[in-house]
Amino acid sequence: LSTPERLGINLDDHEALGMYSEKCVQQGISRHPKVLFQLAGEALELEGCQLGRQGMLPVIETLKQSSELRIRRLNLVDNAITPSLCAMLVSVLATNGDLYINHLDLSFNKISDAGCGAIANLIALADGDPDDEINSLVLVSCDIGPASLSRLFYSLSENSNLQTLDVSKNNLDERAAALLADALVTNTTLVSLTLQETGLNPSKMKKLKDGLAKNRAITYLDLSQNLGLGSPGAIVLCEALLENSTVEMVNLCKCQIDSKAGPTLADLVMLSRSLEDLNLSYNYMGETAVLALNLAAQRQRCGTDIAVHLYDCSSPKKYPDGKTGKGGSRSLRVMSP
């Protein structure tokens, strides 16, 4: 089943398939079945294929030369893509006018700073046409340093295409946080931002505060698993979100938030003009804070339905990784009066 011929696919009818087969022959490697079966469609889902340099070169050359591809989603998660391969791929995306890729996922590839720099340039050069530009970018655990994240965030300032950005599990410093804040003030298209496990702490959150407060586009914000955030960072975030009128969903799961942030979080739940879903699971907040959040949701003043997730927030418990966490089982859904 690994050959198109056995499935009745005629390579002569598909320019891209024939081109990919030719490139594989030149490289002296076997054609990957997933590439063959998807190359003529609208999505190339190659997650976990571990193609490496040899396997990726025929794919990149096909993307570069084919004029008949209609791929909209390019998923290359966990394929041993190097910085140089990433730069080659980005060059193709920037120069082939026949490509219309809207979703790019390079997660769990060590593209490092060089690869991220190339992507930042691509984002900065977007011409505003939503049909032929990337609007969803996922770069989870890509070994990207703070300087390159800063370059990526700077490119967001004038970008009017990107709607979803996920840079989880990369290192964010205060300068990068400040540049992201500046970009959020002017950016009007980014609706989903995920910064899971990026080393956020109260100091970096203070840098982000103004941008989050003034942004009028983001509806989904995920800051989960930032263990350094704690109650001080959560309080700063709440102060920003109380000024924000668009954020609907916030994920603060496993951020080591304790009871000290309970009153401010309750104020956010009660007074926010847009919040619909708040995830505080796996934070040791204690019964008093849990009850305060419950009461705040019941008294929510802005006429919205709000879900507050408080799983394992009441009593000490060990996390699956063996570290001591806090919480008893509790989750609640509250409808405003």
Side-chain angles (χ1 to χ4, degrees):
L1 294 178
S2 63
T3 65
E5 293 84 0
R6 293 181 64 179
L7 293 179
I9 300 175
N10 186 354
L11 293 181
D12 294 333
D13 294 337
H14 300 277
E15 176 205 41
L17 291 178
M19 191 176 295
Y20 171 70
S21 293
E22 180 183 341
K23 301 299 179 184
C24 286
V25 171
Q26 293 174 359
Q27 287 285 321
I29 61 173
S30 300
R31 298 169 297 184
H32 198 286
K34 278 192 175 182
V35 179
L36 285 170
F37 299 156
Q38 299 179 61
L39 199 54
E42 293 189 351
L44 195 54
E45 302 283 349
L46 302 177
E47 180 171 350
C49 290
Q50 286 292 317
L51 294 177
R53 183 174 180 82
Q54 269 201 321
M56 279 299 303
L57 283 176
V59 175
I60 292 175
E61 285 298 312
T62 302
L63 292 173
K64 178 180 179 179
Q65 298 179 22
S66 177
S67 60
E68 296 183 358
L69 288 172
R70 294 295 178 264
I71 295 173
R72 298 293 181 267
R73 289 177 51 87
L74 186 55
N75 180 351
L76 297 173
V77 174
D78 194 16
N79 270 286
I81 295 175
T82 61
S84 59
L85 279 174
C86 180
M88 291 173 61
L89 175 64
V90 169
S91 176
V92 170
L93 298 182
T95 57
N96 188 347
D98 294 314
L99 284 176
Y100 298 95
I101 292 175
N102 299 135
H103 174 85
L104 176 63
D105 192 340
L106 291 170
S107 299
F108 298 98
N109 292 290
K110 293 188 179 298
I111 66 170
S112 303
D113 290 345
C116 183
I119 294 171
N121 290 334
L122 180 66
I123 298 301
L125 293 172
D127 61 10
D129 186 346
D131 292 329
D132 65 356
E133 300 287 353
I134 293 174
N135 56 46
S136 177
L137 177 61
V138 187
L139 301 172
V140 177
S141 191
C142 286
D143 197 28
I144 301 171
S148 292
L149 279 182
S150 297
R151 176 71 185 91
L152 179 63
F153 294 152
Y154 180 78
S155 70
L156 290 175
S157 298
E158 298 181 0
N159 181 278
S160 58
N161 291 91
L162 202 63
Q163 299 174 20
T164 300
L165 177 62
D166 186 346
V167 292
S168 298
K169 299 186 179 182
N170 294 291
N171 188 21
L172 181 79
D173 67 0
E174 290 191 15
R175 173 174 165 75
L179 285 170
L180 176 56
D182 291 341
L184 293 179
V185 172
T186 57
N187 186 283
T188 59
T189 55
L190 191 68
V191 297
S192 176
L193 177 62
T194 302
L195 301 173
Q196 185 183 107
E197 203 173 331
T198 53
L200 281 176
N201 58 28
S203 179
K204 296 171 188 177
M205 185 54 62
K206 287 178 181 177
K207 298 289 186 181
L208 271 174
K209 179 181 177 180
D210 193 52
L212 289 173
K214 294 180 179 179
N215 181 269
R216 293 296 178 265
I218 291 177
T219 60
Y220 176 79
L221 181 64
D222 186 348
L223 307 181
S224 60
Q225 298 189 52
N226 282 287
L227 300 181
L229 195 63
S231 287
I235 290 172
V236 174
L237 174 64
C238 289
E239 292 170 351
L241 294 180
L242 282 170
E243 298 181 42
N244 183 287
S245 59
T246 57
V247 173
E248 298 174 358
M249 301 179 67
V250 177
N251 188 354
L252 292 173
C253 177
K254 201 173 183 182
C255 287
Q256 293 195 348
I257 301 169
D258 60 23
S259 59
K260 294 176 183 177
T264 309
L265 286 164
D267 285 344
L268 176 65
V269 170
M270 186 165 60
L271 301 174
S272 173
R273 291 166 287 174
S274 59
L275 191 63
E276 296 178 2
D277 191 289
L278 176 61
N279 189 352
L280 294 167
S281 299
Y282 298 103
N283 290 293
Y284 178 33
M285 304 187 66
E287 283 291 343
T288 301
V290 167
L291 291 173
L293 284 161
N294 188 0
L295 185 60
Q298 291 175 351
R299 293 181 175 179
Q300 216 276 344
R301 295 178 182 176
C302 296
T304 59
D305 297 340
I306 185 166
V308 182
H309 306 278
L310 296 165
Y311 183 77
D312 277 359
C313 285
S314 299
S315 59
K317 185 177 180 179
K318 285 189 176 180
Y319 290 124
D321 60 9
K323 296 179 181 179
T324 300
K326 313 290 183 179
S329 298
R330 185 160 188 172
S331 182
L332 55 94
R333 170 87 186 178
V334 178
M335 307 282 288
S336 62

